[in-house]
Amino acid sequence: MPQLPDGEPVPTDGSLPATALDAMAANPFSAYLHVPFCRVRCGYCDFNTYTPGELGDAASVPNYVRAVEREIALAREVLTRGGRAMPPLTTVFVGGGTPTMLAAPMLAGLVGRLLEAFGTPGEHGRPIEITTEANPDSVTPEGLEILAQAGVSRISIGMQSAVPHVLATLDRTHDPTAVGRAVRWAKDAGLQVSLDLIYGTPGESLADWEHSLRTALEQEPDHVSAYALIVEDGTRLATQVRRGELPAPDPDDAADSYELADALLRASGLRWYEVSNWARSDTARCRHNLGYWTGGSWWGFGPGAHSHVGGVRWWNVKHPRAYADRLASGTTPAAAREILTPDEVYDETVLLGVRLADGLPIDALRPEGRGAVAALIADGLVQHEAALRDRRLVLSMRGRLLADAVVRRLVLGL
Amino acid sequence: MLQPHATPPSAIRNFCIIAHIDHGKSTLADRMLQITGIVDDRAMRAQYLDRMDIERERGITIKSQAVRMPWSVTRESGASDAYILNMIDTPGHVDFTYEVSRSLAACEGAVLLVDAAQGIEAQTLANLYLAMENDLTIIPVLNKIDLPAAQPEKYAEELAGLIGCEPEDCFRVSGKTGMGVEPLLDEIVRQVPPPVGDADAPARAMIFDSVYDTYRGVVTYVRVVDGNLNPRERIAMMSTKATHELLEIGVISPEPVPSKGLGVGEVGYLITGVKDVRQSRVGDTVTNAAKPAAQELGGYRDPKPMVFSGLYPIDGSDYPALRDALDKLKLNDAALVYEPETSAALGFGFRCGFLGLLHLEIVRERLEREFNLDLISTQPNVVYDVTMEDGKEIVVTNPSEFPGGKVADVREPVVRATILAPSEFIGAIMELCQGKRGTLRGMDYLSEERVEMRYTLPLAEIVFDFFDQLKSRTRGYASLDYEADGDQTADLVKVDILLQGEQVDAFSAIVHKDKAYAYGVAMAGKLKDLIPRQQFEVPIQAAIGARIIARENIRAIRKDVLAKCYGGDITRKRKLLEKQKEGKKRMKMVGRVEVPQEAFIAALSSDDTGAKAKK
């Protein structure tokens, strides 16, 4: 799994600079909750997750829940220091791991604990958007009903593929038909539905990918995320590729897959709003993720979770036991943090904003970035209409596939 | 004991040791230092006389040394006579032939040292010829006779055949154990003639090396031929007419010891306070400024660079540091020449001239090691004399400056090469030399199994990859020596490499017309593998003038985007961008094409390992 970044130490009480607390007040505030449990560990996955057998009692589910409750209390304390008002929660996102590995009442309880602890700006005392991730085979109609009652408004289902041999390579255990059932139940419970897809799995043909896309679209999701498979160091998949047991993903094939995805999704009424995300309407966009991409503040709860508050980023220790131990002894679970300089904030603004269909205001760019725009238009990497008419930098289809190169040209003037 | 300045020539023996790398010269010298008692066992260390790290590591001698050793020979009557042995350690590489010739000129005898398990090698043979040309008395010695693989009988035959003696005249020693070294010293006294000179004539001493020392300035090694040199005198350099005060004069034994002077036949050092070895040139004659000699000793010539290469700092901001470093090295290296040069691809650097490839390697290694510089060097090339149709003459030291247009004649330097190899490889060597535009000059069998082949070859071919090819085709058994042998007219063309239509000066090469196509195809293919895909298609072309002779294409990259960028990915992604900012320094732009420095290095190195540099 990916190493945590290097950073500076965090005060043991988790306290934040007053400047960060002041800065966050201007922006919407969100919560992320990391659930580090999975039934099996997939060969391609490098997330901070554990199967039940991997964790002893000290990091059991009840201990995890208790630790999260302690972190919620810590967050309250840190954020209201100096008599500040509690920031209202705009969005909540529960990710993992597999959040639905927790029994629905337990998951609902944790969501409830978050809502109790923070104010909420939405109607009926609820945040505008509460999302949970789920595996197709770990949901039930009853469970979904419980979550909806607790305020969950959106579910992101890890479909990945509709092709059995692709799912097998990914170590996904679900029956492809489970997806349709899960989507129907979620819709019945009144939830918005997003489907997660992966392309570029070794052995996947373009026809396989088209089949997965068409199968996903038959479910009429509100939202689709499609990610190119990355062979992460340290995963079983990486070992298989290194040994030559599986072919390495080909970036040209991935480009074909991306273009096919965008064409089919658009034909079904879903439009891109971020490089890897498509939505049926503006209201179907994931508000929570948009917060990440537009400099919003959030507190990430749970082992390995990352947070950002007013220009300070920090990340929790990864192991559930270390996480629980820290909180039990009354210290912050944060492993390290960084206080962003204005240059770093600028770099992030560009590298995140470029990925959005709303784009970046060209006038917010520094001179070397503004100087690069004409060449980017000439190279067909940004949309000239948006640049000329709205003074916004919006990627073209080719630009979306080369977004990282565009960022280098904007920031480094390369 | 015999003191410097007061040693009669009849008691002096000046000798050198001629040997191939690894044949044990330094080890034998070490034993001599111990046996004559000037270095005690406690102070002894291996390769005592090699001062530079590079010398020790590579087992080669770059700078000469001259050590004065006392030795007494017992007569049959029991009485013993005292002698002084001056051992002049010579550089052992083809690049330094001139330095070798000056060292040999300082001696009356030479120990021809040959590994008893390997036999004579081409470079040794070349130096042996030089020694015989200088009328030196040759004492053949087989070393390493303690090795199980030693075949002293076989190689004694070979040596006897070469120098015209009897096989049993070959001495057998082990530098490692010291066996046979004492009798060898006695034999040197017996066989090597004492120096002859006129003690009353105006002083004449030949410079056979000069070395820059940070603390003392230039230390000049001389052999006195006539007259004598004394402290506090003013001396004159006969080629430059420059005069200096003799601040210190002495002998090395084996550390510098000041003396009252140096007389006829003696070998020692001078310090005048000059700071640049160019003011004290190898081969020049030192005389007394007040009472100068009329005629200088013969044989002096200016060092002439044969091989050129562009040296560029990888980090452009190191350019001033590179200039300072070259200025410092120059103090100790009269043969090194350089002038500033600008490359569109590599930035600011220097075009440097060297005596040969080893000289280039040594200079480069010293710049990197002693001055902490990261360098790129362009493919070494030779000097071309180009005559235009309008009669104008141009000397080309940088291939990218090779003139286009109406060229009447191009002359390239050639060398006389000697190759020694087991006779089974004759066919392979002939094939190689033919492919390298060589002309066979002659062939002799040294023994039934070993052959000496003499070729005339263009130096450019030697500089390209001749030695590597020779080694690989003879499984490492062949040895090579060569010396400059004038020049010849050749049908040469300049091949340029273009990236997206833009010429990359660092990759231009001057090659024979018949090889231009192969070179163009190989270079274009190599670059295709080394240059990462760009956001646009990049054609790579090889061209002679306006004519394209080879073409490759780097397809545009289609996908360069990380799929996921959520809360936990942001810091990592920003840090990656920061790293790329740093990496930008190492990125060279050719037009709009980003070429990583690693690609340049790999493309310019002749081996194929560089292909790994591609990301």
Side-chain angles (χ1 to χ4, degrees), chain A residues 42-104:
Chain A
C42 301
Y44 67 93
C45 175
D46 74 332
F47 294 164
N48 190 29
T49 73
Y50 304 85
T51 55
E54 288 178 323
L55 296 168
D57 274 354
S60 64
V61 170
N63 279 340
Y64 160 77
V65 172
R66 203 167 309 128
V68 171
E69 286 169 349
R70 286 187 169 127
E71 192 180 5
I72 293 171
L74 175 81
R76 274 187 64 98
E77 209 179 295
V78 168
L79 295 173
T80 56
R81 192 154 300 166
R84 285 181 170 79
M86 200 61 193
L89 271 185
T90 312
T91 67
V92 176
F93 195 105
V94 187
T98 310
T100 43
M101 276 287 287
L102 297 181

Side-chain angles (χ1 to χ4, degrees), chain A residues 6 227 348 379 401 409, chain B residues 535 560 566 574-575 592:
Chain A
D6 293 330
Y227 306 112
E348 289 187 353
D379 289 344
L401 280 165
R409 287 171 68 170
Chain B
Q535 291 154 46
D560 180 7
Y566 296 100
R574 192 195 69 244
K575 290 193 170 190
R592 293 190 60 210

